[in-house]
Amino acid sequence: MTADDPPLVLKLGGSVITEKDRPETVDEPALAAAADAIADALDSGAVGRLVVVHGGGSFGHHHASEHGVSTTTGTRDPGAVSDVHGAMATLNRAVLAALHDRDVPAVPVHPLSLAARPGGTDGDLDLPLSSTATLLGEGFVPVLHGDGVATAGEGVTVVSGDELVVELAVGLGADRVGVCSTVPGVLDDDGSVIPTIDDFESVADALGASDTTDVSGGMTAKVRALLALDAPASVFGPDGLEAFLRGGTPGTRID
Ligand code: IPE
């Protein structure tokens, strides 16, 4: 591994590492399993440089919805910003602790302190990457998370972990991207995992159907964003994490 090696970008979905129905509750066994897989992959050399992003699960989403904040609707209430960010920072500390227990050199990178949507909610996300890139070069594993983000005209909105993954993958020239979610991959109409997606049209119908049950409108947007990346991406469930980190393609591969 050299300082210039392209990193792997891994998102741990919030509902993978938290108990969705209990506010601010970490799913300890699930987090431990994910941290084990990450530590093994780094120890064995299967993964060189790694950036982790985690979602909000029962931490961020709970506070965001309580205050009516989303990726498109912001708040100017500093208490609301503190609640959302504070919950995410708490979850981030739990993720860091699990990684530190396994000697993974993980360090926090908080998007609220770095990122902005200077053009408002319709504009691009600006995520300066100099701290993340420099940390990577120094051998750390930066751990970012969904967070509040300064947004022109809206105050503070939410930036999702998925948006961060895309920015990181492009900006750092990632060689692989993994999204570990609660579902075992991108599912078709029958609930079967679609093994490979290389263009949006071929799966648009199946995704349209599955998104009617997806309150965050998640999978369609995820697939579109991951298709636009140069790096190959995989969407898989917790059972696929180990295989993905070892270089395999569990779940759905998006080229
Ligand atoms: C949400 O991040 C962050 C906040 C609500 C502050 P994500 O949207 O990436 O979280 P998950 O993975 O869906 O839980």
Side-chain angles (χ1 to χ4, degrees):
M1 176 176 64
T2 73
D4 294 331
D5 277 350
L8 186 154
V9 175
L10 172 69
K11 181 185 175 198
L12 298 174
S15 43
V16 172
I17 56 169
T18 72
E19 291 188 25
K20 216 176 171 178
D21 302 327
R22 296 169 64 191
E24 296 201 29
T25 308
V26 174
D27 184 336
E28 297 287 355
L31 177 57
D36 280 343
I38 290 170
D40 287 351
L42 292 168
D43 284 348
S44 69
V47 171
R49 302 204 297 160
L50 173 68
V51 181
V52 176
V53 178
H54 64 80
S58 64
F59 284 73
H61 289 294
H62 170 72
H63 291 281
S65 62
E66 204 160 78
H67 292 292
V69 192
S70 68
T71 53
T72 50
T73 306
T75 179
R76 291 197 162 76
D77 172 4
V81 176
S82 293
D83 278 355
V84 173
H85 174 73
M88 290 307 302
T90 302
L91 177 57
N92 188 247
R93 271 194 298 278
V95 173
L96 291 168
L99 293 170
H100 293 165
D101 283 350
R102 293 156 179 85
D103 295 328
V104 174
V107 289
V109 175
H110 301 299
L112 176 62
S113 312
L114 284 179
R117 299 191 207 275
T121 49
D122 291 333
D124 290 338
L125 176 69
D126 173 36
L127 178 69
L129 292 175
S130 146
S131 69
T132 302
T134 306
L135 287 167
L136 273 173
E138 292 299 307
F140 293 103
V141 173
V143 183
L144 293 87
H145 51 85
D147 204 349
V149 59
T151 302
E154 281 289 330
V156 169
T157 62
V158 166
V159 59
S160 74
D162 291 351
E163 288 177 87
L164 298 172
V165 163
V166 169
E167 288 301 315
L168 290 161
V170 172
L172 299 171
D175 64 345
R176 299 176 74 216
V177 174
V179 176
C180 181
S181 138
T182 44
V183 283
V186 182
L187 306 180
D188 66 15
D189 283 346
D190 304 325
S192 311
V193 173
I194 303 170
T196 314
I197 298 176
D198 42 30
D199 73 291
F200 190 74
E201 302 317 316
S202 63
V203 293
D205 288 352
L207 286 174
S210 70
D211 256 8
T212 55
T213 55
D214 186 339
V215 284
S216 65
M219 207 46 103
T220 303
K222 242 194 249 299
V223 170
R224 266 192 197 282
L226 295 175
L227 269 171
L229 295 177
D230 287 339
S234 291
V235 177
F236 47 85
D239 291 346
L241 178 57
E242 209 183 314
F244 173 77
L245 290 171
R246 272 197 261 104
T249 50
T252 302
R253 181 180 156 116
I254 300 175
D255 284 324

Coordinates of all heavy atoms in Angstrom, one line a residue, residues 21-92:
D21 N -36.3 0.8 15.6 CA -37.5 1.2 16.3 C -37.3 1.7 17.7 O -38.3 2.1 18.4 CB -38.5 0.0 16.4 CG -38.8 -0.5 14.9 OD1 -38.9 0.4 14.0 OD2 -39.0 -1.7 14.8
R22 N -36.1 1.7 18.2 CA -35.8 2.2 19.5 C -34.8 3.4 19.4 O -33.7 3.3 19.0 CB -35.2 1.1 20.4 CG -36.2 0.0 20.6 CD -35.5 -1.2 21.2 NE -35.1 -1.0 22.6 CZ -34.3 -1.8 23.3 NH1 -33.9 -2.9 22.7 NH2 -33.9 -1.5 24.5
P23 N -35.3 4.6 19.7 CA -34.5 5.8 19.6 C -33.1 5.7 20.2 O -33.0 5.2 21.3 CB -35.3 6.9 20.3 CG -36.7 6.4 20.3 CD -36.7 4.9 20.3
E24 N -32.1 6.1 19.5 CA -30.8 6.2 19.9 C -30.3 4.9 20.6 O -29.7 4.8 21.7 CB -30.6 7.3 20.9 CG -30.8 8.6 20.2 CD -30.2 9.8 20.9 OE1 -29.2 9.7 21.6 OE2 -30.7 10.9 20.7
T25 N -30.5 3.8 19.9 CA -30.1 2.5 20.4 C -29.2 1.8 19.3 O -29.6 1.6 18.2 CB -31.3 1.5 20.7 OG1 -32.2 2.2 21.5 CG2 -30.8 0.2 21.4
V26 N -27.9 1.5 19.7 CA -27.0 0.9 18.8 C -27.4 -0.6 18.8 O -27.7 -1.2 19.8 CB -25.6 1.0 19.3 CG1 -24.6 0.2 18.5 CG2 -25.2 2.5 19.3
D27 N -27.3 -1.2 17.6 CA -27.4 -2.7 17.5 C -26.0 -3.3 17.7 O -25.3 -3.4 16.8 CB -28.0 -3.1 16.1 CG -28.3 -4.6 16.0 OD1 -27.6 -5.4 16.7 OD2 -29.1 -5.0 15.2
E28 N -25.7 -3.5 19.0 CA -24.3 -3.9 19.3 C -23.8 -5.1 18.6 O -22.7 -5.0 18.1 CB -24.2 -4.0 20.8 CG -24.5 -2.8 21.7 CD -23.4 -1.7 21.6 OE1 -22.3 -2.0 20.9 OE2 -23.6 -0.6 22.1
P29 N -24.6 -6.2 18.5 CA -24.0 -7.4 17.8 C -23.8 -7.0 16.3 O -22.8 -7.5 15.7 CB -25.1 -8.4 17.9 CG -25.9 -8.0 19.1 CD -25.9 -6.5 19.2
A30 N -24.7 -6.3 15.7 CA -24.5 -5.9 14.3 C -23.3 -5.0 14.1 O -22.5 -5.2 13.1 CB -25.8 -5.3 13.7
L31 N -23.1 -4.1 15.0 CA -21.9 -3.2 14.9 C -20.7 -4.0 15.1 O -19.7 -3.8 14.4 CB -22.1 -2.0 15.9 CG -20.9 -1.1 16.0 CD1 -20.6 -0.4 14.6 CD2 -21.1 0.0 17.0
A32 N -20.7 -4.9 16.1 CA -19.5 -5.7 16.4 C -19.1 -6.6 15.1 O -18.0 -6.7 14.8 CB -19.8 -6.6 17.6
A33 N -20.1 -7.1 14.5 CA -19.9 -8.0 13.3 C -19.3 -7.1 12.2 O -18.3 -7.6 11.5 CB -21.2 -8.6 12.9
A34 N -19.8 -5.9 12.0 CA -19.3 -5.1 11.0 C -17.8 -4.7 11.3 O -16.9 -4.7 10.4 CB -20.2 -3.8 10.8
A35 N -17.6 -4.3 12.5 CA -16.2 -3.9 13.0 C -15.3 -5.1 12.8 O -14.1 -4.9 12.4 CB -16.3 -3.4 14.4
D36 N -15.7 -6.3 13.1 CA -14.9 -7.5 13.0 C -14.5 -7.6 11.5 O -13.3 -7.9 11.2 CB -15.6 -8.8 13.4 CG -15.6 -9.0 14.9 OD1 -14.8 -8.3 15.6 OD2 -16.5 -9.8 15.3
A37 N -15.4 -7.5 10.6 CA -15.2 -7.7 9.2 C -14.2 -6.6 8.7 O -13.3 -6.9 7.9 CB -16.5 -7.6 8.4
I38 N -14.3 -5.4 9.2 CA -13.4 -4.3 8.7 C -12.0 -4.6 9.3 O -11.0 -4.4 8.5 CB -14.0 -2.9 9.2 CG1 -15.3 -2.6 8.5 CG2 -12.9 -1.8 9.1 CD1 -16.0 -1.4 9.0
A39 N -11.9 -4.9 10.5 CA -10.6 -5.2 11.1 C -9.9 -6.3 10.4 O -8.7 -6.2 10.1 CB -10.8 -5.5 12.6
D40 N -10.6 -7.4 10.1 CA -10.0 -8.5 9.4 C -9.5 -8.2 8.1 O -8.5 -8.6 7.6 CB -11.1 -9.7 9.3 CG -11.3 -10.4 10.6 OD1 -10.6 -10.1 11.6 OD2 -12.3 -11.2 10.7
A41 N -10.3 -7.4 7.4 CA -10.0 -7.0 6.0 C -8.7 -6.1 6.0 O -7.8 -6.2 5.1 CB -11.1 -6.2 5.3
L42 N -8.6 -5.2 7.0 CA -7.4 -4.4 7.1 C -6.2 -5.2 7.5 O -5.1 -5.1 7.0 CB -7.6 -3.2 8.1 CG -8.6 -2.2 7.6 CD1 -9.0 -1.3 8.7 CD2 -8.1 -1.4 6.4
D43 N -6.4 -6.1 8.5 CA -5.3 -6.9 9.0 C -4.7 -7.9 7.9 O -3.5 -8.1 7.8 CB -5.8 -7.8 10.2 CG -5.9 -7.1 11.5 OD1 -5.5 -5.9 11.5 OD2 -6.6 -7.6 12.4
S44 N -5.6 -8.4 7.1 CA -5.2 -9.4 6.1 C -4.6 -8.7 4.9 O -4.1 -9.3 4.0 CB -6.4 -10.3 5.7 OG -7.3 -9.5 5.0
G45 N -4.8 -7.4 4.8 CA -4.3 -6.7 3.6 C -5.3 -6.7 2.5 O -5.0 -6.2 1.4
A46 N -6.5 -7.3 2.7 CA -7.5 -7.4 1.6 C -7.9 -5.9 1.2 O -8.2 -5.6 0.1 CB -8.7 -8.2 2.0
V47 N -7.9 -5.1 2.2 CA -8.2 -3.7 2.0 C -7.0 -2.8 2.5 O -6.5 -3.1 3.6 CB -9.5 -3.2 2.8 CG1 -9.7 -1.7 2.8 CG2 -10.7 -4.0 2.2
G48 N -6.6 -1.9 1.7 CA -5.5 -1.0 2.1 C -6.1 0.3 2.7 O -6.3 0.3 3.9
R49 N -6.4 1.2 1.9 CA -7.0 2.5 2.5 C -8.5 2.4 2.5 O -9.1 1.9 1.5 CB -6.5 3.7 1.6 CG -5.0 3.7 1.6 CD -4.5 5.1 1.3 NE -4.9 5.6 0.1 CZ -4.9 6.9 -0.3 NH1 -4.6 7.8 0.7 NH2 -5.2 7.3 -1.5
L50 N -9.1 2.9 3.6 CA -10.5 2.7 3.7 C -11.1 4.0 4.3 O -10.6 4.6 5.3 CB -10.8 1.5 4.7 CG -12.2 1.3 5.2 CD1 -13.1 0.9 4.0 CD2 -12.3 0.3 6.3
V51 N -12.3 4.4 3.8 CA -13.1 5.4 4.3 C -14.4 4.8 4.7 O -15.0 4.1 3.8 CB -13.3 6.6 3.4 CG1 -14.1 7.7 4.0 CG2 -12.0 7.2 2.9
V52 N -14.9 5.0 5.9 CA -16.2 4.5 6.3 C -17.2 5.7 6.5 O -16.8 6.8 6.9 CB -16.1 3.8 7.7 CG1 -17.5 3.4 8.2 CG2 -15.1 2.6 7.6
V53 N -18.4 5.5 6.0 CA -19.5 6.4 6.2 C -20.6 5.7 6.9 O -20.9 4.5 6.5 CB -20.0 7.0 4.9 CG1 -21.1 7.9 5.1 CG2 -18.9 7.6 4.0
H54 N -21.2 6.3 7.9 CA -22.4 5.6 8.5 C -23.6 6.5 8.4 O -23.5 7.7 8.4 CB -22.1 5.0 9.9 CG -21.8 6.0 10.9 ND1 -22.8 6.7 11.5 CD2 -20.7 6.4 11.5 CE1 -22.3 7.5 12.4 NE2 -21.0 7.4 12.4
G55 N -24.7 5.8 8.3 CA -26.0 6.5 8.3 C -26.5 6.9 9.7 O -25.8 6.7 10.7
G56 N -27.8 7.3 9.7 CA -28.3 7.8 11.0 C -29.1 6.8 11.8 O -29.2 6.8 13.0
G57 N -29.9 5.9 11.1 CA -30.7 4.9 11.8 C -31.6 5.6 12.8 O -32.1 6.7 12.6
S58 N -31.6 5.0 14.0 CA -32.5 5.5 15.1 C -31.9 6.7 15.8 O -32.5 7.2 16.8 CB -32.9 4.4 16.0 OG -31.8 3.9 16.7
F59 N -30.7 7.1 15.4 CA -30.1 8.3 16.0 C -30.6 9.6 15.2 O -31.4 10.3 15.7 CB -28.6 8.2 16.0 CG -28.1 7.2 17.1 CD1 -28.3 5.9 16.9 CD2 -27.5 7.7 18.2 CE1 -27.9 5.0 17.9 CE2 -27.1 6.9 19.2 CZ -27.3 5.5 19.1
G60 N -30.0 9.8 14.0 CA -30.3 11.0 13.2 C -31.7 11.2 12.8 O -32.3 12.2 13.0
H61 N -32.3 10.1 12.3 CA -33.6 10.2 11.7 C -34.7 10.6 12.7 O -35.6 11.4 12.4 CB -34.1 8.9 11.0 CG -33.3 8.7 9.7 ND1 -33.4 9.5 8.6 CD2 -32.4 7.7 9.4 CE1 -32.6 9.0 7.7 NE2 -31.9 8.0 8.2
H62 N -34.5 10.1 13.9 CA -35.5 10.4 15.0 C -35.5 11.9 15.3 O -36.6 12.5 15.3 CB -35.0 9.6 16.2 CG -35.7 9.9 17.5 ND1 -37.0 9.6 17.7 CD2 -35.2 10.6 18.6 CE1 -37.3 10.0 18.9 NE2 -36.2 10.6 19.5
H63 N -34.3 12.5 15.5 CA -34.3 13.9 15.8 C -34.6 14.8 14.6 O -35.3 15.8 14.7 CB -32.9 14.3 16.3 CG -32.6 13.7 17.6 ND1 -33.1 14.3 18.8 CD2 -31.9 12.6 18.0 CE1 -32.7 13.6 19.8 NE2 -32.0 12.6 19.4
A64 N -34.2 14.3 13.4 CA -34.5 15.1 12.2 C -36.0 15.2 12.0 O -36.5 16.3 11.8 CB -33.8 14.5 11.0
S65 N -36.7 14.1 12.1 CA -38.1 14.1 11.9 C -38.8 14.9 13.0 O -39.8 15.6 12.8 CB -38.7 12.8 11.7 OG -38.6 12.0 12.8
E66 N -38.3 14.8 14.2 CA -38.9 15.5 15.3 C -38.9 17.1 15.1 O -39.8 17.8 15.4 CB -38.1 15.3 16.6 CG -38.9 15.5 17.9 CD -38.2 14.7 19.0 OE1 -37.1 15.2 19.5 OE2 -38.6 13.6 19.4
H67 N -37.8 17.5 14.4 CA -37.6 18.9 14.2 C -38.1 19.3 12.7 O -37.9 20.4 12.3 CB -36.2 19.3 14.4 CG -35.7 19.3 15.8 ND1 -36.2 20.1 16.8 CD2 -34.9 18.5 16.4 CE1 -35.7 19.9 17.9 NE2 -34.8 18.8 17.8
G68 N -38.6 18.3 12.0 CA -39.0 18.6 10.6 C -37.9 18.9 9.7 O -38.1 19.7 8.7
V69 N -36.8 18.4 9.9 CA -35.6 18.7 9.0 C -35.4 17.5 8.1 O -35.4 16.3 8.6 CB -34.3 18.9 9.9 CG1 -33.2 19.4 9.0 CG2 -34.6 19.8 11.0
S70 N -35.1 17.7 6.9 CA -34.8 16.7 5.9 C -33.7 17.1 4.9 O -33.1 18.2 5.1 CB -36.1 16.3 5.1 OG -36.4 17.4 4.3
T71 N -33.5 16.4 3.9 CA -32.5 16.8 2.9 C -32.9 18.0 2.1 O -32.1 18.7 1.5 CB -32.1 15.7 1.9 OG1 -33.3 15.2 1.4 CG2 -31.4 14.5 2.6
T72 N -34.2 18.3 2.2 CA -34.8 19.4 1.4 C -35.4 20.5 2.3 O -35.5 21.6 1.8 CB -35.9 18.9 0.4 OG1 -36.8 18.1 1.1 CG2 -35.2 18.1 -0.7
T73 N -35.7 20.2 3.5 CA -36.3 21.2 4.4 C -35.3 21.5 5.5 O -34.9 20.5 6.2 CB -37.6 20.8 4.9 OG1 -38.5 20.4 3.9 CG2 -38.3 21.9 5.8
G74 N -34.9 22.7 5.7 CA -33.9 23.0 6.7 C -34.5 23.6 8.0 O -35.7 23.7 8.1
T75 N -33.6 23.9 8.9 CA -34.0 24.6 10.2 C -33.1 25.7 10.5 O -31.9 25.7 10.1 CB -34.0 23.6 11.3 OG1 -34.4 24.3 12.5 CG2 -32.7 22.9 11.6
R76 N -33.6 26.7 11.1 CA -32.8 27.8 11.6 C -32.7 27.8 13.2 O -32.2 28.7 13.8 CB -33.3 29.2 11.1 CG -33.1 29.3 9.6 CD -33.2 30.8 9.2 NE -32.7 30.9 7.8 CZ -33.3 30.5 6.7 NH1 -34.5 30.0 6.8 NH2 -32.7 30.7 5.6
D77 N -33.2 26.7 13.7 CA -33.2 26.5 15.2 C -31.9 25.9 15.6 O -31.6 24.7 15.3 CB -34.4 25.7 15.6 CG -34.4 25.3 17.0 OD1 -33.5 25.7 17.8 OD2 -35.3 24.5 17.4
P78 N -31.0 26.6 16.3 CA -29.7 26.0 16.7 C -29.9 24.8 17.6 O -29.0 23.9 17.5 CB -29.0 27.2 17.4 CG -30.0 28.2 17.7 CD -31.2 28.0 16.8
G79 N -30.9 24.8 18.4 CA -31.2 23.6 19.2 C -31.4 22.3 18.4 O -31.0 21.2 18.7
A80 N -32.2 22.5 17.3 CA -32.5 21.4 16.4 C -31.2 20.9 15.7 O -31.0 19.7 15.6 CB -33.5 21.8 15.3
V81 N -30.4 21.9 15.3 CA -29.1 21.5 14.6 C -28.3 20.7 15.6 O -27.7 19.6 15.3 CB -28.3 22.7 14.2 CG1 -27.0 22.3 13.6 CG2 -29.2 23.5 13.1
S82 N -28.2 21.2 16.9 CA -27.4 20.5 17.9 C -28.0 19.1 18.2 O -27.2 18.2 18.4 CB -27.4 21.3 19.2 OG -26.7 22.5 19.0
D83 N -29.3 19.0 18.2 CA -29.9 17.7 18.5 C -29.5 16.7 17.4 O -29.1 15.5 17.7 CB -31.4 17.8 18.5 CG -32.0 18.3 19.8 OD1 -31.2 18.4 20.8 OD2 -33.2 18.5 19.9
V84 N -29.7 17.1 16.1 CA -29.4 16.1 15.0 C -27.9 15.8 15.0 O -27.5 14.6 15.0 CB -29.9 16.7 13.7 CG1 -29.4 15.9 12.5 CG2 -31.4 16.9 13.6
H85 N -27.1 16.8 15.0 CA -25.7 16.6 15.0 C -25.2 15.8 16.2 O -24.4 14.9 16.1 CB -24.9 17.9 14.9 CG -23.4 17.7 14.9 ND1 -22.7 17.2 13.9 CD2 -22.5 17.9 15.9 CE1 -21.4 17.1 14.3 NE2 -21.3 17.5 15.5
G86 N -25.7 16.2 17.4 CA -25.3 15.5 18.6 C -25.6 14.1 18.6 O -24.8 13.2 19.0
A87 N -26.8 13.7 18.1 CA -27.2 12.3 18.0 C -26.2 11.6 17.1 O -25.8 10.4 17.3 CB -28.6 12.1 17.6
M88 N -25.9 12.2 15.9 CA -25.0 11.5 15.0 C -23.6 11.4 15.5 O -22.9 10.4 15.3 CB -25.0 12.3 13.7 CG -26.3 12.2 12.9 SD -26.9 10.5 12.6 CE -25.5 9.8 11.7
A89 N -23.2 12.4 16.3 CA -21.9 12.4 16.9 C -21.8 11.2 17.9 O -20.8 10.6 18.1 CB -21.5 13.7 17.5
T90 N -22.9 11.0 18.7 CA -23.0 9.9 19.6 C -22.9 8.6 18.9 O -22.1 7.7 19.4 CB -24.3 10.0 20.4 OG1 -24.4 11.2 21.1 CG2 -24.4 8.9 21.4
L91 N -23.6 8.4 17.8 CA -23.5 7.2 17.1 C -22.1 7.0 16.5 O -21.5 5.9 16.5 CB -24.5 7.1 15.9 CG -24.5 5.9 15.0 CD1 -24.7 4.6 15.8 CD2 -25.6 6.0 14.0
N92 N -21.5 8.1 16.0 CA -20.2 8.1 15.5 C -19.2 7.6 16.5 O -18.3 6.8 16.3 CB -19.8 9.5 15.0 CG -18.5 9.5 14.2 OD1 -17.5 10.2 14.7 ND2 -18.4 8.9 13.1

